[in-house]
Amino acid sequence: MIRRLALLVAMLAPLPASAFDLQGLGEALGVNPDTMKHIEQGVQLTQALIPISDREEIELGRSVAARVIGRYGLVHDQRRTYYLNLVGATLASRSDRPNLPYHFAILNTDDVNAYACPGGFIFVTRGALDMVRDEAELAAILAHEISHVTERHIIKAMQHSKLMKVGADVAAEAFRSHGALFSQMTDFATDALFKGLSKEDEYDADAKAVVYLDRLGYDYRAMDDVLRLLQQRQRMGLTRVLSQTHPSPALRIRHLDAAERTMNLPQPSPIRLAKRFARYTETRKNPS
Amino acid sequence: MPYSEAMRTLAGIAILLCVLLAPTAVRAAEDGYYVGAYRGIDIRQSPSDESPTVAHLERLRSVRIEARERSWARVATVNPPIVSGWVPEGALRRRHEPPKAHRSTSSFFAGLAALFGSDDSDASKTAVLGVRGLDNEGDLGNRAAPAAEVRWVEGLHVSDREIADFVRQGRLNP
């Protein structure tokens, strides 16, 4: 019996999951539903995830970025945007995916939030930019978002979704043709951004942000400081969207504290660069 | 069990089933609905989130409700191409109901809600629409930016030289 089941798994594994209805097949063959569930899991395990190249990820990111900009609009403040790109690109150059073309822009909303689209399109809201007090805190926000990109959180979620069980050829064609499937991928990634990633991904990005801050020599405690700022804002009811898309700042602080204890971090550096931050953002009260 | 007793038991079961199923069985198809979820909605083979997706219905697509089960509705599109399947009832709206407008709750009440931790209730309400984060701002959701805006963002780039200068001026790690 086991040999037969193994044979069935081996036969089904090369097929895209959408090509057959396993439960229906099981019913037709009179196989116990629980057994079919195990077979289905076996087939899923043996099916490799469809790879998504950097180029395809950037294509998708551009499409998602268009939705994000469409929702909020951009702040066309050259000076602040340039500064944002200086801080962001510097962090990204020391990240685990330094070769992606990162772009950083400011979204025109008071809400405190930031978004990382696949492929390196990263957005910070005007509210978030107004909240932070120095460059290290701004770097903490950007490092968190860069981590979502370097860890490919959205891409991984999509690769594990039913959406991508279509076969590698179909997926590759979707990226080429920008057809219906590509549109669904954009929907999926946009939803992931606006609904929020998993809590584990958020904790992971917080911890990774500390690593990136430390690599550049910023005071890595800025990440913790940003979370405490968010906690204050949350108490004031100013982080409505963020509260719905991220774990609570209190939980994030607790997880970050636990992660830092396992990281063997050096003494924090004193570099916060509050004056440079003020110099570049002095026009903050007059966004275009 | 004697034959007549078995028949009586079967008849009893049949009547019971008729009583239980009657409300859905006799309900006529309901016209005048459309997809209200701003991202559209996946239409599924059976009334479950785990069920395979048959198709995706765009927002405002007109549908007819053919049956209901728990919080799900079996729908069929009114206009070709005809597709049918199950969607969460919350994703549908009647024609005379306008799409939900922007959030009307003032920031004062939103603040109170956050203070008392009632964000979740709002979240669960809008989760039906597949949008948790930005719920009622949803009408803006599918509006893509003009291509020029995206190009502007793609044009934002700093050179390696600028990064090196920035690192040096900030006394960051080279």
Side-chain angles (χ1 to χ4, degrees):
Chain A
M1 176 67 176
I2 289 170
R3 212 176 295 164
R4 272 188 217 160
L5 289 178
L7 186 66
L8 188 59
V9 171
M11 284 164 58
L12 296 174
L15 299 172
S18 58
F20 51 85
D21 172 12
L22 267 183
Q23 290 297 337
L25 183 66
E27 277 174 31
L29 294 172
V31 180
N32 181 314
D34 287 340
T35 312
M36 278 318 289
K37 208 169 272 181
H38 290 304
I39 292 173
E40 196 164 20
Q41 284 165 357
V43 170
Q44 284 169 358
L45 278 175
T46 51
Q47 282 179 330
L49 294 175
I50 292 177
I52 295 175
S53 68
D54 283 359
R55 194 184 54 77
E56 290 169 337
E57 188 182 330
I58 293 166
E59 281 289 304
L60 181 66
R62 185 180 294 120
S63 183
V64 177
R67 298 271 182 92
V68 176
I69 300 168
R71 182 185 290 271
Y72 290 115
L74 292 170
V75 175
H76 290 277
D77 179 329
Q78 298 283 355
R79 187 177 175 79
R80 291 166 73 193
T81 305
Y82 176 61
Y83 177 58
L84 190 69
N85 277 272
L86 278 173
V87 180
T90 305
L91 283 160
S93 69
R94 310 293 164 84
S95 75
D96 295 341
R97 291 181 80 190
N99 297 323
L100 281 179
Y102 290 87
H103 311 284
F104 302 84
I106 306 166
L107 294 174
N108 195 15
T109 170
D110 287 331
D111 229 319
V112 176
N113 215 336
Y115 299 96
C117 306
F121 294 84
I122 292 175
F123 298 96
V124 176
T125 63
R126 186 162 39 77
L129 206 52
D130 286 346
M131 178 189 77
V132 292
R133 299 162 297 191
D134 54 41
E135 188 174 303
E137 288 179 355
L138 173 62
I141 292 178
L142 294 178
H144 173 97
E145 297 308 321
I146 289 168
S147 302
H148 282 312
V149 177
T150 60
E151 301 306 304
R152 305 177 98 226
H153 285 146
I154 288 181
I155 295 295
K156 282 177 187 166
M158 200 168 75
Q159 282 174 316
H160 284 96
S161 73
K162 288 178 180 170
L163 199 60
M164 295 301 282
K165 290 181 179 160
V166 289
D169 292 348
V170 177
E173 178 54 29
F175 281 109
R176 271 195 297 274
S177 65
H178 284 207
L181 181 58
F182 184 78
S183 174
Q184 284 180 27
M185 288 177 191
T186 305
D187 287 346
F188 181 94
T190 311
D191 260 4
L193 270 190
F194 292 144
K195 286 168 73 177
L197 294 160
S198 75
K199 284 182 179 179
E200 286 65 33
D201 287 349
E202 296 300 341
Y203 299 144
D204 187 28
D206 286 342
K208 199 85 188 176
V210 166
V211 173
Y212 290 162
L213 289 173
D214 183 51
R215 270 185 203 170
L216 260 177
Y218 283 115
D219 177 359
Y220 58 76
R221 290 171 302 183
M223 186 70 238
D224 191 73
D225 294 341
V226 166
L227 294 177
R228 287 179 198 282
L229 279 175
L230 287 175
Q231 200 170 26
Q232 287 171 14
R233 293 291 194 282
Q234 189 189 38
R235 288 187 187 128
M236 293 157 68
L238 300 174
T239 57
R240 183 177 59 83
V241 174
L242 191 84
S243 302
Q244 292 170 2
T245 58
H246 286 69
S248 74
L251 268 177
R252 289 172 68 184
I253 290 168
R254 209 179 307 153
H255 273 83
L256 183 61
D257 189 43
E260 280 179 348
R261 270 187 257 130
T262 66
M263 281 184 197
N264 198 20
L265 289 163
Q267 281 294 311
S269 110
I271 295 179
R272 305 290 297 215
L273 297 175
K275 282 183 185 165
R276 178 157 81 174
F277 176 79
R279 202 163 61 241
Y280 275 102
T281 57
E282 62 196 7
T283 57
R284 61 162 66 186
K285 299 300 173 200
N286 304 302
S288 64
Chain B
M1 186 187 291
Y3 177 75
S4 57
E5 195 179 335
M7 286 303 289
R8 265 203 303 274
T9 308
L10 278 175
I13 291 170
I15 290 166
L16 188 65
L17 281 173
C18 285
V19 170
L20 287 174
L21 299 177
T24 50
V26 298
R27 182 179 283 153
E30 301 167 57
D31 287 314
Y33 282 84
Y34 68 94
V35 176
Y38 76 83
R39 278 179 211 294
I41 191 75
D42 283 339
I43 189 164
R44 297 182 184 278
Q45 267 179 18
S46 58
S48 158
D49 280 324
E50 302 300 314
S51 174
T53 301
V54 177
H56 182 82
L57 294 184
E58 293 298 325
R59 176 175 159 79
L60 303 181
R61 185 86 186 265
S62 295
V63 294
R64 174 182 298 120
I65 296 181
E66 295 178 331
R68 292 176 193 261
E69 189 174 314
R70 300 186 307 275
S71 59
W72 290 77
R74 194 179 75 219
V75 297
T77 51
V78 173
N79 301 311
I82 301 294
V83 282
S84 65
W86 293 86
V87 297
E89 275 183 325
L92 303 175
R93 301 223 193 291
R94 286 191 73 93
R95 270 287 162 214
H96 62 266
E97 284 177 23
K100 222 172 188 179
H102 284 210
R103 165 179 292 272
S104 58
T105 317
S106 72
S107 57
F108 172 71
F109 289 117
L112 278 181
L115 271 178
F116 291 101
S118 61
D119 275 356
D120 284 349
S121 60
D122 200 28
S124 62
K125 192 166 62 189
T126 55
V128 177
L129 301 182
V131 189
R132 186 155 55 91
L134 293 168
D135 48 37
N136 296 345
E137 294 170 5
D139 286 347
L140 297 170
N142 277 336
R143 188 184 297 163
E149 291 283 77
V150 181
R151 275 200 301 277
W152 185 79
V153 172
E154 285 193 285
L156 299 169
H157 176 72
V158 290
S159 67
D160 290 346
R161 174 76 183 271
E162 286 169 303
I163 290 174
D165 288 347
F166 190 71
V167 166
R168 189 171 37 76
Q169 287 159 11
R171 295 182 183 172
L172 296 167
N173 291 337

